[in-house]
Amino acid sequence: MKEAIKYMIISALAFTFMNAFVKSLDHFSVYQIVFFRSIGSLFFTMPFLLKNKISLLGNKKGLLIMRSIFGLISMTLFFLSIKYIAMGTAVSIRYIGPIFAAFFALLFLKEK
C-alpha cells in the first residue's frame, strides 16, 4: 500500500475517533474541548516550526491572524454541532463546505 494512502486512512480514523470522543464529553463545555484540542495541536506543530526555523508569526501576520480567528470559530461551531445534533449530520454538513465555496466563488468572484 502506498504511503499516502496509509496516511489518509490514519487521518480518517483519527478524525472519526476525535468526533466520537467530542460527542461523548457531555460534562465538558465546548470551549474547554476547543482549548485542549488546540493545545494538542500546538504540541505537534511547535517542534516542527522550531526545527525548520519557521517564523511563528509567518510572513503575512494579518492573514495568519484572520485564519486563526476563522479556524477558531469553525472548530467551535463544529464541536457545538457534534454535541447537539447527530454526528453523521454534523460531519455531512461540515464536508459540504467546499461545494458552497465553489458556488460562491462562481457567484461572487466570477471564477470559471
Side-chain angles (χ1 to χ4, degrees):
M1 188 181 299
K2 292 191 177 200
E3 190 100 10
I5 294 173
K6 287 181 191 176
Y7 287 133
M8 288 175 68
I9 291 171
I10 291 169
S11 172
L13 288 173
F15 278 112
T16 301
F17 287 128
M18 181 189 65
N19 294 342
F21 189 63
V22 168
K23 183 78 170 173
S24 70
L25 293 174
D26 291 335
H27 51 282
F28 285 99
S29 164
V30 170
Y31 305 106
Q32 290 174 315
I33 296 170
V34 168
F35 175 77
F36 285 109
R37 197 249 185 214
S38 299
I39 292 293
S41 296
L42 183 67
F43 284 121
F44 285 106
T45 57
M46 189 62 74
F48 176 79
L49 294 175
L50 293 175
K51 178 185 169 204
N52 294 315
K53 296 182 176 49
I54 298 172
S55 170
L56 296 177
L57 297 176
N59 295 332
K60 298 180 180 179
K61 291 171 185 55
L63 287 176
L64 186 62
I65 290 170
M66 193 166 56
R67 182 185 185 278
S68 300
I69 291 169
F70 281 112
L72 176 69
I73 292 169
S74 172
M75 189 183 335
T76 304
L77 291 176
F78 177 62
F79 286 170
L80 276 169
S81 70
I82 284 179
K83 282 185 102 47
Y84 294 112
I85 63 176
M87 187 170 20
T89 305
V91 172
S92 297
I93 291 171
R94 182 179 193 183
Y95 289 125
I96 203 169
I99 295 170
F100 284 110
F103 175 72
F104 289 132
L106 283 170
L107 192 65
F108 295 118
L109 302 176
K110 308 294 186 232
E111 296 278 339
K112 295 187 182 208

